[in-house]
Amino acid sequence: MAPDSIGHSNRPLKRGRKFLNTPGPTNVPPRVLNAMHRDTMDLNDPEFLDAAVECFEGLKRVFRTEGEVFSYISNGHGAWEAALVNVLVPGDLVLVPETGHFSSSWADMAKALGIRIQSVPGDWRRAHDPEKIGQALADDTGHEIKAVLLVQTDTATGTTTDVKAVREAMNRAKHPALLIVDTIASLGTIDFRMDEWGVDVTVAASQKGLMMVPGLGFVAANAKAVEAHKAAVRERRYWDWTPRMSGPGYRTFCGTAPQIHIFGLREGLAALFEEGMERVFERHRVLAGATWKAIDVWAQGGALEINATVPAERSLGVTTIRCAEGISGDRIREVCRDEMLAGVGGGLGVFGGKAFRIGHMGDMNAPMLYACLGSVEATLNYLDVPHVAGGVTAAVQHVAEYKKTHGSTTF
């Protein structure tokens, strides 16, 4: 590219705004972006330290924990690694319930860190059965398994596993393994109660339900997990919890803090609390239901179907749509993005090229969802994908019925 062409491309100019309905990154509210539009400051400026303290306290409210919360300059994969290296050592055995692409990816990371894996096979169209997890632990009479790595919502499959039921199954098995839960795609979209449900370590990230830009990974740990951390002697520096428990200063972030991100996170958390977490969850439930209504109509053409077969097990943040043989999910995604200016997710893992995903999480309202659904329906027409028209109307009707029953809403 010639020096005078930097910042330009050969792509045709398109007017209007783009719509984002991927399951991460998600839309960032203008108030959050505005909060980040500020000067950097001294590392120990009281204004920044106050903001950091508010963020840690706010994250505790979202995790619903009184435990420790750690923040990393990373994505969710970084938070995965932080959780693993702080409570496990090479040679340890962990139990990994198969929930989809991301449970497999987390297991692959653990293997790379020298951790042994015992998988509990699952169905990529169903949430994981807690009883199978409990049985695997009951069979481990020598208590060789040190932890269970559970993904609450796997964005590849669009399924959500019942964390509370998994802990109850673990308790019935009387097994001391840690319960480590990935809430990257679920925190801020559905109910999660770390302390009440007996979760020992929780992993999350900024760019989904927390309505922030990518770049922050979070780990929360209860007292049992902190004790396991103290006993887990292995090489680690940046991820180490011990220096990060010293207060909201330089050592808390293992170096220069992500100041601008922290100010944005504080504003995103404030937006969640102003709406009220129960109302946030209800908004996600309604928008997810509207999405399912649209897909049910399109599916009557025989070429598409919702991957998660049991409605009660479906994610409220993302819906995975399977495509019939001969229908390219990648092509649908490309046309939505490049021609209709609506970003949707592609298929992952075994669904690569065979599915696409509609995200309805984070800073999302009904009109924003309608724009995406309209773009998808237009794409189906454009590509001659067999479908029945009227999906968008079905989604609109679903939200309208909710409004009639529950009164005026902001979504």
PDB file of all heavy atoms in Angstrom, residues 57-79:
ATOM      1  N   GLU A  57     -15.629  -3.575  43.400  1.00  0.00           N
ATOM      2  CA  GLU A  57     -16.851  -3.765  44.183  1.00  0.00           C
ATOM      3  C   GLU A  57     -18.047  -4.046  43.277  1.00  0.00           C
ATOM      4  O   GLU A  57     -18.918  -4.869  43.595  1.00  0.00           O
ATOM      5  CB  GLU A  57     -17.118  -2.528  45.048  1.00  0.00           C
ATOM      6  CG  GLU A  57     -16.107  -2.349  46.178  1.00  0.00           C
ATOM      7  CD  GLU A  57     -16.029  -3.553  47.097  1.00  0.00           C
ATOM      8  OE1 GLU A  57     -17.098  -4.077  47.483  1.00  0.00           O
ATOM      9  OE2 GLU A  57     -14.906  -3.983  47.418  1.00  0.00           O
ATOM     10  N   GLY A  58     -18.102  -3.355  42.134  1.00  0.00           N
ATOM     11  CA  GLY A  58     -19.180  -3.602  41.190  1.00  0.00           C
ATOM     12  C   GLY A  58     -19.133  -5.006  40.609  1.00  0.00           C
ATOM     13  O   GLY A  58     -20.169  -5.668  40.449  1.00  0.00           O
ATOM     14  N   LEU A  59     -17.937  -5.485  40.295  1.00  0.00           N
ATOM     15  CA  LEU A  59     -17.801  -6.844  39.785  1.00  0.00           C
ATOM     16  C   LEU A  59     -18.253  -7.864  40.825  1.00  0.00           C
ATOM     17  O   LEU A  59     -18.877  -8.879  40.488  1.00  0.00           O
ATOM     18  CB  LEU A  59     -16.359  -7.109  39.371  1.00  0.00           C
ATOM     19  CG  LEU A  59     -15.897  -6.411  38.083  1.00  0.00           C
ATOM     20  CD1 LEU A  59     -14.400  -6.512  37.929  1.00  0.00           C
ATOM     21  CD2 LEU A  59     -16.602  -7.014  36.867  1.00  0.00           C
ATOM     22  N   LYS A  60     -17.951  -7.603  42.090  1.00  0.00           N
ATOM     23  CA  LYS A  60     -18.430  -8.503  43.144  1.00  0.00           C
ATOM     24  C   LYS A  60     -19.957  -8.569  43.143  1.00  0.00           C
ATOM     25  O   LYS A  60     -20.543  -9.638  43.367  1.00  0.00           O
ATOM     26  CB  LYS A  60     -17.920  -8.040  44.512  1.00  0.00           C
ATOM     27  CG  LYS A  60     -16.441  -8.312  44.745  1.00  0.00           C
ATOM     28  CD  LYS A  60     -16.040  -7.925  46.170  1.00  0.00           C
ATOM     29  CE  LYS A  60     -14.577  -8.226  46.430  1.00  0.00           C
ATOM     30  NZ  LYS A  60     -14.183  -7.933  47.830  1.00  0.00           N
ATOM     31  N   ARG A  61     -20.602  -7.429  42.891  1.00  0.00           N
ATOM     32  CA  ARG A  61     -22.072  -7.415  42.846  1.00  0.00           C
ATOM     33  C   ARG A  61     -22.586  -8.252  41.680  1.00  0.00           C
ATOM     34  O   ARG A  61     -23.604  -8.955  41.818  1.00  0.00           O
ATOM     35  CB  ARG A  61     -22.582  -5.983  42.700  1.00  0.00           C
ATOM     36  CG  ARG A  61     -22.500  -5.142  43.950  1.00  0.00           C
ATOM     37  CD  ARG A  61     -23.051  -3.744  43.711  1.00  0.00           C
ATOM     38  NE  ARG A  61     -24.468  -3.742  43.335  1.00  0.00           N
ATOM     39  CZ  ARG A  61     -25.158  -2.653  43.001  1.00  0.00           C
ATOM     40  NH1 ARG A  61     -24.544  -1.476  42.996  1.00  0.00           N
ATOM     41  NH2 ARG A  61     -26.423  -2.734  42.683  1.00  0.00           N
ATOM     42  N   VAL A  62     -21.915  -8.182  40.557  1.00  0.00           N
ATOM     43  CA  VAL A  62     -22.356  -8.948  39.392  1.00  0.00           C
ATOM     44  C   VAL A  62     -22.077 -10.435  39.587  1.00  0.00           C
ATOM     45  O   VAL A  62     -22.923 -11.286  39.281  1.00  0.00           O
ATOM     46  CB  VAL A  62     -21.680  -8.427  38.110  1.00  0.00           C
ATOM     47  CG1 VAL A  62     -22.121  -9.254  36.898  1.00  0.00           C
ATOM     48  CG2 VAL A  62     -22.027  -6.963  37.877  1.00  0.00           C
ATOM     49  N   PHE A  63     -20.886 -10.759  40.090  1.00  0.00           N
ATOM     50  CA  PHE A  63     -20.559 -12.165  40.384  1.00  0.00           C
ATOM     51  C   PHE A  63     -21.384 -12.689  41.555  1.00  0.00           C
ATOM     52  O   PHE A  63     -21.530 -13.895  41.704  1.00  0.00           O
ATOM     53  CB  PHE A  63     -19.079 -12.301  40.749  1.00  0.00           C
ATOM     54  CG  PHE A  63     -18.127 -12.236  39.594  1.00  0.00           C
ATOM     55  CD1 PHE A  63     -17.106 -11.299  39.578  1.00  0.00           C
ATOM     56  CD2 PHE A  63     -18.230 -13.118  38.535  1.00  0.00           C
ATOM     57  CE1 PHE A  63     -16.205 -11.246  38.531  1.00  0.00           C
ATOM     58  CE2 PHE A  63     -17.331 -13.070  37.475  1.00  0.00           C
ATOM     59  CZ  PHE A  63     -16.310 -12.131  37.471  1.00  0.00           C
ATOM     60  N   ARG A  64     -21.852 -11.777  42.395  1.00  0.00           N
ATOM     61  CA  ARG A  64     -22.538 -12.108  43.641  1.00  0.00           C
ATOM     62  C   ARG A  64     -21.626 -12.934  44.532  1.00  0.00           C
ATOM     63  O   ARG A  64     -21.923 -14.069  44.897  1.00  0.00           O
ATOM     64  CB  ARG A  64     -23.876 -12.805  43.373  1.00  0.00           C
ATOM     65  CG  ARG A  64     -24.805 -11.917  42.551  1.00  0.00           C
ATOM     66  CD  ARG A  64     -26.201 -12.467  42.393  1.00  0.00           C
ATOM     67  NE  ARG A  64     -26.975 -12.333  43.627  1.00  0.00           N
ATOM     68  CZ  ARG A  64     -28.289 -12.447  43.686  1.00  0.00           C
ATOM     69  NH1 ARG A  64     -28.992 -12.655  42.575  1.00  0.00           N
ATOM     70  NH2 ARG A  64     -28.924 -12.341  44.824  1.00  0.00           N
ATOM     71  N   THR A  65     -20.501 -12.299  44.870  1.00  0.00           N
ATOM     72  CA  THR A  65     -19.504 -12.956  45.712  1.00  0.00           C
ATOM     73  C   THR A  65     -18.906 -11.978  46.698  1.00  0.00           C
ATOM     74  O   THR A  65     -18.853 -10.765  46.443  1.00  0.00           O
ATOM     75  CB  THR A  65     -18.377 -13.567  44.856  1.00  0.00           C
ATOM     76  OG1 THR A  65     -17.471 -14.272  45.713  1.00  0.00           O
ATOM     77  CG2 THR A  65     -17.595 -12.491  44.113  1.00  0.00           C
ATOM     78  N   GLU A  66     -18.440 -12.496  47.803  1.00  0.00           N
ATOM     79  CA  GLU A  66     -17.657 -11.738  48.770  1.00  0.00           C
ATOM     80  C   GLU A  66     -16.181 -12.103  48.649  1.00  0.00           C
ATOM     81  O   GLU A  66     -15.361 -11.665  49.454  1.00  0.00           O
ATOM     82  CB  GLU A  66     -18.144 -12.031  50.199  1.00  0.00           C
ATOM     83  CG  GLU A  66     -19.568 -11.574  50.470  1.00  0.00           C
ATOM     84  CD  GLU A  66     -19.738 -10.080  50.298  1.00  0.00           C
ATOM     85  OE1 GLU A  66     -18.817  -9.324  50.689  1.00  0.00           O
ATOM     86  OE2 GLU A  66     -20.775  -9.657  49.750  1.00  0.00           O
ATOM     87  N   GLY A  67     -15.851 -12.893  47.652  1.00  0.00           N
ATOM     88  CA  GLY A  67     -14.475 -13.346  47.474  1.00  0.00           C
ATOM     89  C   GLY A  67     -13.592 -12.310  46.808  1.00  0.00           C
ATOM     90  O   GLY A  67     -13.956 -11.145  46.655  1.00  0.00           O
ATOM     91  N   GLU A  68     -12.419 -12.748  46.389  1.00  0.00           N
ATOM     92  CA  GLU A  68     -11.456 -11.884  45.718  1.00  0.00           C
ATOM     93  C   GLU A  68     -11.815 -11.765  44.237  1.00  0.00           C
ATOM     94  O   GLU A  68     -12.305 -12.721  43.633  1.00  0.00           O
ATOM     95  CB  GLU A  68     -10.037 -12.458  45.838  1.00  0.00           C
ATOM     96  CG  GLU A  68      -9.524 -12.596  47.263  1.00  0.00           C
ATOM     97  CD  GLU A  68      -9.100 -11.259  47.852  1.00  0.00           C
ATOM     98  OE1 GLU A  68      -8.986 -10.274  47.098  1.00  0.00           O
ATOM     99  OE2 GLU A  68      -8.873 -11.207  49.080  1.00  0.00           O
ATOM    100  N   VAL A  69     -11.565 -10.594  43.664  1.00  0.00           N
ATOM    101  CA  VAL A  69     -11.759 -10.393  42.224  1.00  0.00           C
ATOM    102  C   VAL A  69     -10.461  -9.857  41.641  1.00  0.00           C
ATOM    103  O   VAL A  69      -9.868  -8.915  42.185  1.00  0.00           O
ATOM    104  CB  VAL A  69     -12.917  -9.418  41.926  1.00  0.00           C
ATOM    105  CG1 VAL A  69     -12.995  -9.128  40.432  1.00  0.00           C
ATOM    106  CG2 VAL A  69     -14.242 -10.001  42.406  1.00  0.00           C
ATOM    107  N   PHE A  70     -10.020 -10.442  40.540  1.00  0.00           N
ATOM    108  CA  PHE A  70      -8.786 -10.050  39.876  1.00  0.00           C
ATOM    109  C   PHE A  70      -9.099  -9.593  38.458  1.00  0.00           C
ATOM    110  O   PHE A  70      -9.938 -10.186  37.780  1.00  0.00           O
ATOM    111  CB  PHE A  70      -7.806 -11.225  39.834  1.00  0.00           C
ATOM    112  CG  PHE A  70      -7.568 -11.853  41.189  1.00  0.00           C
ATOM    113  CD1 PHE A  70      -8.280 -12.975  41.577  1.00  0.00           C
ATOM    114  CD2 PHE A  70      -6.662 -11.295  42.073  1.00  0.00           C
ATOM    115  CE1 PHE A  70      -8.080 -13.554  42.816  1.00  0.00           C
ATOM    116  CE2 PHE A  70      -6.453 -11.861  43.316  1.00  0.00           C
ATOM    117  CZ  PHE A  70      -7.161 -12.987  43.699  1.00  0.00           C
ATOM    118  N   SER A  71      -8.401  -8.542  38.021  1.00  0.00           N
ATOM    119  CA  SER A  71      -8.610  -7.993  36.685  1.00  0.00           C
ATOM    120  C   SER A  71      -7.309  -8.059  35.899  1.00  0.00           C
ATOM    121  O   SER A  71      -6.245  -7.705  36.428  1.00  0.00           O
ATOM    122  CB  SER A  71      -9.100  -6.540  36.772  1.00  0.00           C
ATOM    123  OG  SER A  71      -9.252  -5.983  35.483  1.00  0.00           O
ATOM    124  N   TYR A  72      -7.416  -8.510  34.660  1.00  0.00           N
ATOM    125  CA  TYR A  72      -6.242  -8.670  33.805  1.00  0.00           C
ATOM    126  C   TYR A  72      -6.441  -7.908  32.496  1.00  0.00           C
ATOM    127  O   TYR A  72      -7.559  -7.773  32.011  1.00  0.00           O
ATOM    128  CB  TYR A  72      -6.010 -10.147  33.476  1.00  0.00           C
ATOM    129  CG  TYR A  72      -5.761 -11.008  34.686  1.00  0.00           C
ATOM    130  CD1 TYR A  72      -6.817 -11.663  35.333  1.00  0.00           C
ATOM    131  CD2 TYR A  72      -4.473 -11.170  35.187  1.00  0.00           C
ATOM    132  CE1 TYR A  72      -6.587 -12.449  36.447  1.00  0.00           C
ATOM    133  CE2 TYR A  72      -4.232 -11.959  36.309  1.00  0.00           C
ATOM    134  CZ  TYR A  72      -5.289 -12.595  36.931  1.00  0.00           C
ATOM    135  OH  TYR A  72      -5.059 -13.371  38.052  1.00  0.00           O
ATOM    136  N   ILE A  73      -5.322  -7.430  31.934  1.00  0.00           N
ATOM    137  CA  ILE A  73      -5.384  -6.842  30.602  1.00  0.00           C
ATOM    138  C   ILE A  73      -5.340  -8.010  29.621  1.00  0.00           C
ATOM    139  O   ILE A  73      -4.273  -8.444  29.180  1.00  0.00           O
ATOM    140  CB  ILE A  73      -4.224  -5.859  30.365  1.00  0.00           C
ATOM    141  CG1 ILE A  73      -4.174  -4.812  31.476  1.00  0.00           C
ATOM    142  CG2 ILE A  73      -4.363  -5.188  29.012  1.00  0.00           C
ATOM    143  CD1 ILE A  73      -2.963  -3.909  31.428  1.00  0.00           C
ATOM    144  N   SER A  74      -6.513  -8.547  29.307  1.00  0.00           N
ATOM    145  CA  SER A  74      -6.583  -9.763  28.487  1.00  0.00           C
ATOM    146  C   SER A  74      -7.997  -9.935  27.964  1.00  0.00           C
ATOM    147  O   SER A  74      -8.911  -9.206  28.331  1.00  0.00           O
ATOM    148  CB  SER A  74      -6.193 -10.994  29.307  1.00  0.00           C
ATOM    149  OG  SER A  74      -7.263 -11.389  30.159  1.00  0.00           O
ATOM    150  N   ASN A  75      -8.162 -10.950  27.140  1.00  0.00           N
ATOM    151  CA  ASN A  75      -9.505 -11.400  26.765  1.00  0.00           C
ATOM    152  C   ASN A  75      -9.896 -12.574  27.660  1.00  0.00           C
ATOM    153  O   ASN A  75      -9.224 -12.859  28.661  1.00  0.00           O
ATOM    154  CB  ASN A  75      -9.550 -11.778  25.283  1.00  0.00           C
ATOM    155  CG  ASN A  75      -8.482 -12.812  24.915  1.00  0.00           C
ATOM    156  OD1 ASN A  75      -7.970 -13.530  25.778  1.00  0.00           O
ATOM    157  ND2 ASN A  75      -8.134 -12.877  23.649  1.00  0.00           N
ATOM    158  N   GLY A  76     -10.949 -13.275  27.301  1.00  0.00           N
ATOM    159  CA  GLY A  76     -11.393 -14.389  28.118  1.00  0.00           C
ATOM    160  C   GLY A  76     -10.390 -15.520  28.189  1.00  0.00           C
ATOM    161  O   GLY A  76     -10.281 -16.219  29.212  1.00  0.00           O
ATOM    162  N   HIS A  77      -9.628 -15.729  27.119  1.00  0.00           N
ATOM    163  CA  HIS A  77      -8.624 -16.791  27.137  1.00  0.00           C
ATOM    164  C   HIS A  77      -7.559 -16.509  28.192  1.00  0.00           C
ATOM    165  O   HIS A  77      -7.048 -17.436  28.838  1.00  0.00           O
ATOM    166  CB  HIS A  77      -7.978 -16.921  25.752  1.00  0.00           C
ATOM    167  CG  HIS A  77      -8.863 -17.563  24.735  1.00  0.00           C
ATOM    168  ND1 HIS A  77      -9.987 -16.943  24.231  1.00  0.00           N
ATOM    169  CD2 HIS A  77      -8.791 -18.764  24.111  1.00  0.00           C
ATOM    170  CE1 HIS A  77     -10.570 -17.736  23.357  1.00  0.00           C
ATOM    171  NE2 HIS A  77      -9.861 -18.853  23.263  1.00  0.00           N
ATOM    172  N   GLY A  78      -7.213 -15.234  28.359  1.00  0.00           N
ATOM    173  CA  GLY A  78      -6.271 -14.888  29.413  1.00  0.00           C
ATOM    174  C   GLY A  78      -6.830 -15.199  30.784  1.00  0.00           C
ATOM    175  O   GLY A  78      -6.116 -15.690  31.676  1.00  0.00           O
ATOM    176  N   ALA A  79      -8.115 -14.909  30.981  1.00  0.00           N
ATOM    177  CA  ALA A  79      -8.755 -15.217  32.259  1.00  0.00           C
ATOM    178  C   ALA A  79      -8.802 -16.727  32.485  1.00  0.00           C
ATOM    179  O   ALA A  79      -8.654 -17.196  33.620  1.00  0.00           O
ATOM    180  CB  ALA A  79     -10.160 -14.619  32.301  1.00  0.00           C
TER     181      ALA A  79
END
